[in-house]
Amino acid sequence: MKQNSLRLGDIFLSIVVCIQFFLITLQQCMIGILHMDPENTTIYRVIFSAIPIIISIYFILKRDLLFAIAIYVIALLIMLLHSVIFPDNEPYIWTQGVRFLLPICIPTMLAMRVVGKYENFNKILIIISWCTIVLLFIYVICFFMGIVSIENYNMSFGYGLLLPTLVLYRQQTLFSKIIFLFASLSILFLGSRGPLLVIFAYVMYDIFYNNKHYIPIVLGMSILFVLSIPFLIDYLDSLGISSRTLNMFMEGTIVQDSGRGFVTDIIVEAILEHPFLGLGIFSDRVILEGIQPYCHNLFSELFIDWGIPFSMIFLFLLLRRIIKTYLLIKYKQQRMLLVLFLFSSIIPLMLSGSYLIDPVVWSFFGLLLFYKRNAYRVV
């Protein structure tokens, strides 16, 4: 009975951690296939997120009530304090904070922390990844049937497929590797550069760390791919698809900042004006109002929110925790899971997104706490 209860709790807790990638892809299918209004699909996504979170609250509180209460008390105190000290931020603190940080991000971290067994989590991660790939197949089929029209690149679509694609790469079967290539090409054709950079970095890490004998093969395939880009562009044009990433590669603008250099200049100027205490959480929204939704860079956002000294201390402690966790994990599969979540959460925040509303980076924080809570051993 106790084992069944542990497994049931782990299922719901793991769903909370892994569901966001599936829901992002589902949302894009609802927009592209069912032609639903994006704002309405956001409401559905919030509802679908809330269902497993509400159920998981019981298991979170049962497994570590005091820690959960402490985290929420600290979060609410910070939000209240910053609302008073930085009144300009208040509208964003109590809209985005209440909409994303409190009900989704923090529960995701708490759920990951109290998962009982690694194997239970890993199974759910694989199942949800395959379900996400099924949605991708449906999306592609609907495109060839003329139901979906692809007029521009879709950033959310690429990031929604990121973690499931890397999970498939971890699988040791030929079929999963083929589906990994299919998903990666789908991100290349339909998504943005950011997820591709993460996939490339993760694959390179795996090859140099685990499979050095594949280096000549990968180099050869990379050269062939680069040479085939002009033909790929022509083929995609014949299908009515314009791959922004491939076009930028051919135009030599693959490393351009997409106009975000101007945003960076504004944020850096604000940081230099308030280097010690910053301007409070969500302050980049106030500074960039009418320009960008946020500053699209983790370091910039931390520095403007908390000031340089506190941010540097946080980043030092985070890096120390990551390195310590990586070195103390003795088993390859668990170490690769840590790297997978690191690459899927931290690297994307260097290019886009915001740590205050992104549940993926909070799941990574939860994973670090999971390993610490279980003394870095296999459970």
PDB file of all heavy atoms in Angstrom, residues 15-35:
ATOM      1  N   ILE A  15       4.135  14.729 -13.414  1.00  0.00           N
ATOM      2  CA  ILE A  15       3.325  15.378 -14.444  1.00  0.00           C
ATOM      3  C   ILE A  15       3.416  16.898 -14.321  1.00  0.00           C
ATOM      4  O   ILE A  15       3.538  17.606 -15.334  1.00  0.00           O
ATOM      5  CB  ILE A  15       1.860  14.903 -14.363  1.00  0.00           C
ATOM      6  CG1 ILE A  15       1.755  13.450 -14.820  1.00  0.00           C
ATOM      7  CG2 ILE A  15       0.947  15.785 -15.212  1.00  0.00           C
ATOM      8  CD1 ILE A  15       0.371  12.846 -14.622  1.00  0.00           C
ATOM      9  N   VAL A  16       3.363  17.393 -13.090  1.00  0.00           N
ATOM     10  CA  VAL A  16       3.477  18.839 -12.866  1.00  0.00           C
ATOM     11  C   VAL A  16       4.783  19.373 -13.452  1.00  0.00           C
ATOM     12  O   VAL A  16       4.813  20.426 -14.099  1.00  0.00           O
ATOM     13  CB  VAL A  16       3.399  19.158 -11.358  1.00  0.00           C
ATOM     14  CG1 VAL A  16       3.798  20.606 -11.100  1.00  0.00           C
ATOM     15  CG2 VAL A  16       1.997  18.903 -10.841  1.00  0.00           C
ATOM     16  N   VAL A  17       5.870  18.641 -13.255  1.00  0.00           N
ATOM     17  CA  VAL A  17       7.184  19.082 -13.718  1.00  0.00           C
ATOM     18  C   VAL A  17       7.292  19.024 -15.238  1.00  0.00           C
ATOM     19  O   VAL A  17       7.854  19.932 -15.862  1.00  0.00           O
ATOM     20  CB  VAL A  17       8.293  18.213 -13.081  1.00  0.00           C
ATOM     21  CG1 VAL A  17       9.658  18.597 -13.634  1.00  0.00           C
ATOM     22  CG2 VAL A  17       8.272  18.350 -11.567  1.00  0.00           C
ATOM     23  N   CYS A  18       6.728  17.984 -15.844  1.00  0.00           N
ATOM     24  CA  CYS A  18       6.967  17.721 -17.267  1.00  0.00           C
ATOM     25  C   CYS A  18       5.886  18.251 -18.204  1.00  0.00           C
ATOM     26  O   CYS A  18       6.105  18.310 -19.417  1.00  0.00           O
ATOM     27  CB  CYS A  18       7.098  16.206 -17.496  1.00  0.00           C
ATOM     28  SG  CYS A  18       8.356  15.401 -16.502  1.00  0.00           S
ATOM     29  N   ILE A  19       4.735  18.650 -17.691  1.00  0.00           N
ATOM     30  CA  ILE A  19       3.570  18.904 -18.529  1.00  0.00           C
ATOM     31  C   ILE A  19       3.678  20.161 -19.379  1.00  0.00           C
ATOM     32  O   ILE A  19       3.027  20.272 -20.431  1.00  0.00           O
ATOM     33  CB  ILE A  19       2.292  18.978 -17.647  1.00  0.00           C
ATOM     34  CG1 ILE A  19       1.028  18.842 -18.477  1.00  0.00           C
ATOM     35  CG2 ILE A  19       2.273  20.285 -16.859  1.00  0.00           C
ATOM     36  CD1 ILE A  19       0.823  17.493 -19.077  1.00  0.00           C
ATOM     37  N   GLN A  20       4.512  21.130 -18.974  1.00  0.00           N
ATOM     38  CA  GLN A  20       4.505  22.425 -19.651  1.00  0.00           C
ATOM     39  C   GLN A  20       4.925  22.327 -21.118  1.00  0.00           C
ATOM     40  O   GLN A  20       4.379  23.021 -21.981  1.00  0.00           O
ATOM     41  CB  GLN A  20       5.391  23.425 -18.908  1.00  0.00           C
ATOM     42  CG  GLN A  20       4.835  23.866 -17.565  1.00  0.00           C
ATOM     43  CD  GLN A  20       3.451  24.483 -17.688  1.00  0.00           C
ATOM     44  OE1 GLN A  20       3.183  25.251 -18.608  1.00  0.00           O
ATOM     45  NE2 GLN A  20       2.571  24.137 -16.753  1.00  0.00           N
ATOM     46  N   PHE A  21       5.902  21.475 -21.434  1.00  0.00           N
ATOM     47  CA  PHE A  21       6.332  21.335 -22.824  1.00  0.00           C
ATOM     48  C   PHE A  21       5.197  20.769 -23.677  1.00  0.00           C
ATOM     49  O   PHE A  21       4.964  21.215 -24.804  1.00  0.00           O
ATOM     50  CB  PHE A  21       7.559  20.421 -22.916  1.00  0.00           C
ATOM     51  CG  PHE A  21       8.811  21.060 -22.408  1.00  0.00           C
ATOM     52  CD1 PHE A  21       9.217  20.878 -21.100  1.00  0.00           C
ATOM     53  CD2 PHE A  21       9.578  21.860 -23.227  1.00  0.00           C
ATOM     54  CE1 PHE A  21      10.372  21.473 -20.622  1.00  0.00           C
ATOM     55  CE2 PHE A  21      10.735  22.466 -22.765  1.00  0.00           C
ATOM     56  CZ  PHE A  21      11.136  22.270 -21.465  1.00  0.00           C
ATOM     57  N   PHE A  22       4.487  19.794 -23.116  1.00  0.00           N
ATOM     58  CA  PHE A  22       3.336  19.229 -23.821  1.00  0.00           C
ATOM     59  C   PHE A  22       2.267  20.295 -24.044  1.00  0.00           C
ATOM     60  O   PHE A  22       1.696  20.400 -25.141  1.00  0.00           O
ATOM     61  CB  PHE A  22       2.768  18.058 -23.017  1.00  0.00           C
ATOM     62  CG  PHE A  22       1.502  17.483 -23.593  1.00  0.00           C
ATOM     63  CD1 PHE A  22       1.551  16.569 -24.632  1.00  0.00           C
ATOM     64  CD2 PHE A  22       0.264  17.863 -23.086  1.00  0.00           C
ATOM     65  CE1 PHE A  22       0.380  16.043 -25.165  1.00  0.00           C
ATOM     66  CE2 PHE A  22      -0.907  17.342 -23.617  1.00  0.00           C
ATOM     67  CZ  PHE A  22      -0.848  16.429 -24.660  1.00  0.00           C
ATOM     68  N   LEU A  23       2.007  21.101 -23.021  1.00  0.00           N
ATOM     69  CA  LEU A  23       0.951  22.112 -23.122  1.00  0.00           C
ATOM     70  C   LEU A  23       1.320  23.231 -24.091  1.00  0.00           C
ATOM     71  O   LEU A  23       0.455  23.767 -24.785  1.00  0.00           O
ATOM     72  CB  LEU A  23       0.644  22.683 -21.737  1.00  0.00           C
ATOM     73  CG  LEU A  23      -0.003  21.717 -20.747  1.00  0.00           C
ATOM     74  CD1 LEU A  23      -0.246  22.404 -19.411  1.00  0.00           C
ATOM     75  CD2 LEU A  23      -1.324  21.167 -21.298  1.00  0.00           C
ATOM     76  N   ILE A  24       2.603  23.597 -24.144  1.00  0.00           N
ATOM     77  CA  ILE A  24       3.032  24.603 -25.124  1.00  0.00           C
ATOM     78  C   ILE A  24       2.768  24.101 -26.537  1.00  0.00           C
ATOM     79  O   ILE A  24       2.231  24.826 -27.387  1.00  0.00           O
ATOM     80  CB  ILE A  24       4.533  24.919 -24.946  1.00  0.00           C
ATOM     81  CG1 ILE A  24       4.771  25.662 -23.636  1.00  0.00           C
ATOM     82  CG2 ILE A  24       5.053  25.760 -26.115  1.00  0.00           C
ATOM     83  CD1 ILE A  24       6.241  25.838 -23.284  1.00  0.00           C
ATOM     84  N   THR A  25       3.125  22.839 -26.800  1.00  0.00           N
ATOM     85  CA  THR A  25       2.906  22.258 -28.126  1.00  0.00           C
ATOM     86  C   THR A  25       1.420  22.094 -28.407  1.00  0.00           C
ATOM     87  O   THR A  25       0.950  22.352 -29.527  1.00  0.00           O
ATOM     88  CB  THR A  25       3.626  20.898 -28.234  1.00  0.00           C
ATOM     89  OG1 THR A  25       4.989  21.040 -27.826  1.00  0.00           O
ATOM     90  CG2 THR A  25       3.581  20.366 -29.660  1.00  0.00           C
ATOM     91  N   LEU A  26       0.654  21.683 -27.399  1.00  0.00           N
ATOM     92  CA  LEU A  26      -0.796  21.566 -27.552  1.00  0.00           C
ATOM     93  C   LEU A  26      -1.407  22.916 -27.882  1.00  0.00           C
ATOM     94  O   LEU A  26      -2.302  23.022 -28.740  1.00  0.00           O
ATOM     95  CB  LEU A  26      -1.413  20.999 -26.278  1.00  0.00           C
ATOM     96  CG  LEU A  26      -2.948  20.885 -26.250  1.00  0.00           C
ATOM     97  CD1 LEU A  26      -3.432  19.916 -27.319  1.00  0.00           C
ATOM     98  CD2 LEU A  26      -3.429  20.455 -24.866  1.00  0.00           C
ATOM     99  N   GLN A  27      -0.938  23.955 -27.221  1.00  0.00           N
ATOM    100  CA  GLN A  27      -1.453  25.300 -27.478  1.00  0.00           C
ATOM    101  C   GLN A  27      -1.206  25.710 -28.929  1.00  0.00           C
ATOM    102  O   GLN A  27      -2.095  26.280 -29.588  1.00  0.00           O
ATOM    103  CB  GLN A  27      -0.788  26.302 -26.532  1.00  0.00           C
ATOM    104  CG  GLN A  27      -1.323  27.715 -26.660  1.00  0.00           C
ATOM    105  CD  GLN A  27      -0.670  28.667 -25.672  1.00  0.00           C
ATOM    106  OE1 GLN A  27       0.328  28.336 -25.036  1.00  0.00           O
ATOM    107  NE2 GLN A  27      -1.231  29.852 -25.530  1.00  0.00           N
ATOM    108  N   GLN A  28      -0.017  25.407 -29.444  1.00  0.00           N
ATOM    109  CA  GLN A  28       0.280  25.751 -30.837  1.00  0.00           C
ATOM    110  C   GLN A  28      -0.570  24.941 -31.806  1.00  0.00           C
ATOM    111  O   GLN A  28      -0.959  25.436 -32.870  1.00  0.00           O
ATOM    112  CB  GLN A  28       1.766  25.522 -31.128  1.00  0.00           C
ATOM    113  CG  GLN A  28       2.698  26.378 -30.283  1.00  0.00           C
ATOM    114  CD  GLN A  28       2.321  27.847 -30.302  1.00  0.00           C
ATOM    115  OE1 GLN A  28       2.161  28.439 -31.370  1.00  0.00           O
ATOM    116  NE2 GLN A  28       2.176  28.440 -29.124  1.00  0.00           N
ATOM    117  N   CYS A  29      -0.887  23.701 -31.442  1.00  0.00           N
ATOM    118  CA  CYS A  29      -1.786  22.890 -32.275  1.00  0.00           C
ATOM    119  C   CYS A  29      -3.202  23.466 -32.256  1.00  0.00           C
ATOM    120  O   CYS A  29      -3.887  23.472 -33.298  1.00  0.00           O
ATOM    121  CB  CYS A  29      -1.797  21.443 -31.773  1.00  0.00           C
ATOM    122  SG  CYS A  29      -0.279  20.527 -32.101  1.00  0.00           S
ATOM    123  N   MET A  30      -3.640  23.919 -31.114  1.00  0.00           N
ATOM    124  CA  MET A  30      -4.968  24.525 -31.014  1.00  0.00           C
ATOM    125  C   MET A  30      -5.058  25.790 -31.871  1.00  0.00           C
ATOM    126  O   MET A  30      -6.071  26.047 -32.526  1.00  0.00           O
ATOM    127  CB  MET A  30      -5.285  24.851 -29.557  1.00  0.00           C
ATOM    128  CG  MET A  30      -5.425  23.622 -28.669  1.00  0.00           C
ATOM    129  SD  MET A  30      -5.447  24.006 -26.888  1.00  0.00           S
ATOM    130  CE  MET A  30      -7.061  24.733 -26.715  1.00  0.00           C
ATOM    131  N   ILE A  31      -3.975  26.561 -31.889  1.00  0.00           N
ATOM    132  CA  ILE A  31      -3.954  27.780 -32.704  1.00  0.00           C
ATOM    133  C   ILE A  31      -3.868  27.441 -34.190  1.00  0.00           C
ATOM    134  O   ILE A  31      -4.609  27.995 -35.014  1.00  0.00           O
ATOM    135  CB  ILE A  31      -2.769  28.677 -32.292  1.00  0.00           C
ATOM    136  CG1 ILE A  31      -2.958  29.183 -30.858  1.00  0.00           C
ATOM    137  CG2 ILE A  31      -2.619  29.860 -33.253  1.00  0.00           C
ATOM    138  CD1 ILE A  31      -1.737  29.884 -30.292  1.00  0.00           C
ATOM    139  N   GLY A  32      -2.943  26.521 -34.536  1.00  0.00           N
ATOM    140  CA  GLY A  32      -2.701  26.232 -35.944  1.00  0.00           C
ATOM    141  C   GLY A  32      -3.735  25.332 -36.587  1.00  0.00           C
ATOM    142  O   GLY A  32      -4.133  25.557 -37.736  1.00  0.00           O
ATOM    143  N   ILE A  33      -4.196  24.302 -35.860  1.00  0.00           N
ATOM    144  CA  ILE A  33      -5.116  23.314 -36.436  1.00  0.00           C
ATOM    145  C   ILE A  33      -6.568  23.714 -36.242  1.00  0.00           C
ATOM    146  O   ILE A  33      -7.377  23.660 -37.179  1.00  0.00           O
ATOM    147  CB  ILE A  33      -4.856  21.924 -35.819  1.00  0.00           C
ATOM    148  CG1 ILE A  33      -3.425  21.469 -36.114  1.00  0.00           C
ATOM    149  CG2 ILE A  33      -5.860  20.905 -36.351  1.00  0.00           C
ATOM    150  CD1 ILE A  33      -3.023  20.194 -35.406  1.00  0.00           C
ATOM    151  N   LEU A  34      -6.903  24.131 -35.019  1.00  0.00           N
ATOM    152  CA  LEU A  34      -8.288  24.491 -34.709  1.00  0.00           C
ATOM    153  C   LEU A  34      -8.569  25.975 -34.929  1.00  0.00           C
ATOM    154  O   LEU A  34      -9.718  26.408 -34.806  1.00  0.00           O
ATOM    155  CB  LEU A  34      -8.611  24.118 -33.252  1.00  0.00           C
ATOM    156  CG  LEU A  34      -8.421  22.646 -32.872  1.00  0.00           C
ATOM    157  CD1 LEU A  34      -8.755  22.433 -31.413  1.00  0.00           C
ATOM    158  CD2 LEU A  34      -9.277  21.743 -33.755  1.00  0.00           C
ATOM    159  N   HIS A  35      -7.511  26.735 -35.233  1.00  0.00           N
ATOM    160  CA  HIS A  35      -7.624  28.175 -35.512  1.00  0.00           C
ATOM    161  C   HIS A  35      -8.300  28.924 -34.357  1.00  0.00           C
ATOM    162  O   HIS A  35      -9.128  29.813 -34.577  1.00  0.00           O
ATOM    163  CB  HIS A  35      -8.396  28.407 -36.825  1.00  0.00           C
ATOM    164  CG  HIS A  35      -7.835  27.648 -37.985  1.00  0.00           C
ATOM    165  ND1 HIS A  35      -6.600  27.937 -38.538  1.00  0.00           N
ATOM    166  CD2 HIS A  35      -8.327  26.583 -38.685  1.00  0.00           C
ATOM    167  CE1 HIS A  35      -6.366  27.089 -39.543  1.00  0.00           C
ATOM    168  NE2 HIS A  35      -7.385  26.267 -39.649  1.00  0.00           N
TER     169      HIS A  35
END
